[in-house]
Amino acid sequence: MKFTLLSLFPEILESYFSSSIMARAVEKGIVSYRNINIRDFAVDKHRTCDDAPYGGGPGMVLKAEPLAAALDFAGAPHLRTLCPTPSGRPFTQDYAKSLSAEEEIVLVCGRYEGIDQRVIDLYVSDEISVGDYVLSSGEIAAMVIIDAVYRLLDGVISLDSLAEESFVEGLLEYPQYTRPEVFRGLKVPEVLLSGHHANISAWRREQGIMKTRKYRPELLAGRKGYEI
Ligand code: SAM
């Protein structure tokens, strides 16, 4: 899968693609990426990419011309093009799953007050919010989206790991423990040491339901079989 990113600060993204599990996915050829610097498409001598908003108000807005030229260069008119923004559609695990079926995705990283609406109208297929809060940059939101998507691709993470994660069955995941058996007086739950797989499964399911009920009761609303 290919990710093409348009940004004013491509160096932020470069370190993400060259570290850890993502670096291995790139090395294996599962993921490829292109970082495009929007500033390379600014035409004036100061390479201006932002300007004051029409109608007044604080902050600056990313200008349409350099962004549109960068998007044309990226081939965006023919590709799924995402624009992270707090005013977009909420990003979820199901959304990530559906994006993982694409061969190539373009992401436009906003800054300041956001980007000129006409670029969104002309090029963007999905405006996506990664949560009900405001970040200062689209690069971080783009990394959130890419991270949730690429780890679902074949060969990145074991299928076992993906099968039991939060949201997969509409529940939050159960608590995890590793050695030592006792840490600062807190003992690992006995059942996890028992080797009894059916009991371990039942305990984990129950814990997942309890955690979901505590933090995300709306995930259980209207669903049967989640009583403990
Ligand atoms: N003026 C915008 C608003 O109130 O909706 C906020 C702009 S924010 C300071 C700058 C950039 O960060 C946005 O253009 C977007 O790319 C990114 N961003 C901030 N919060 C985000 C969120 N919750 N989801 C996705 N992207 C976000």
Side-chain angles (χ1 to χ4, degrees), residues 84-86 110-114 128-131 133-138 141:
T85 166
R111 283 262 157 181
Y112 320 123
E113 292 304 323
I128 304 181
S129 166
V130 298
Y133 42 78
V134 179
L135 303 167
S136 56
S137 80

Side-chain angles (χ1 to χ4, degrees), residues 87-214:
S87 57
R89 178 176 155 199
F91 191 52
T92 61
Q93 188 65 25
D94 285 346
Y95 205 157
K97 180 87 192 141
S98 75
L99 290 176
S100 70
E102 299 286 338
E103 277 180 17
E104 179 169 0
I105 282 178
V106 177
L107 292 109
V108 187
C109 303
R111 283 262 157 181
Y112 320 123
E113 292 304 323
I115 75 178
D116 190 303
Q117 181 61 36
R118 291 164 293 185
V119 173
I120 295 170
D121 295 343
L122 290 168
Y123 290 92
V124 171
S125 54
D126 304 56
E127 291 183 85
I128 304 181
S129 166
V130 298
D132 290 350
Y133 42 78
V134 179
L135 303 167
S136 56
S137 80
E139 284 80 8
I140 293 171
M143 285 190 275
V144 168
I145 295 167
I146 293 169
D147 207 84
V149 170
Y150 95 96
R151 65 194 295 285
L152 300 176
L153 301 175
D154 274 356
V156 176
I157 286 183
S158 80
L159 291 178
D160 285 356
S161 298
L162 295 177
E164 293 207 3
E165 286 186 317
S166 292
F167 308 115
V168 170
E169 287 189 35
L171 290 180
L172 302 183
E173 199 189 56
Y174 46 81
Q176 302 274 10
Y177 296 86
T178 185
R179 280 186 280 262
E181 224 174 284
V182 182
F183 174 70
R184 297 190 181 174
L186 298 176
K187 199 170 175 327
V188 172
E190 208 59 54
V191 64
L192 298 179
L193 308 173
S194 69
H196 192 300
H197 296 299
N199 286 354
I200 292 171
S201 276
W203 179 86
R204 286 179 164 166
R205 183 181 147 80
E206 185 180 298
Q207 293 291 318
I209 294 171
M210 280 163 54
K211 206 163 176 191
T212 310
R213 187 169 294 152
K214 181 174 176 187

Side-chain angles (χ1 to χ4, degrees), residues 205 209 223-227:
R205 183 181 147 80
I209 294 171
R223 298 177 65 189
K224 291 213 182 329
Y226 292 94
E227 304 78 21

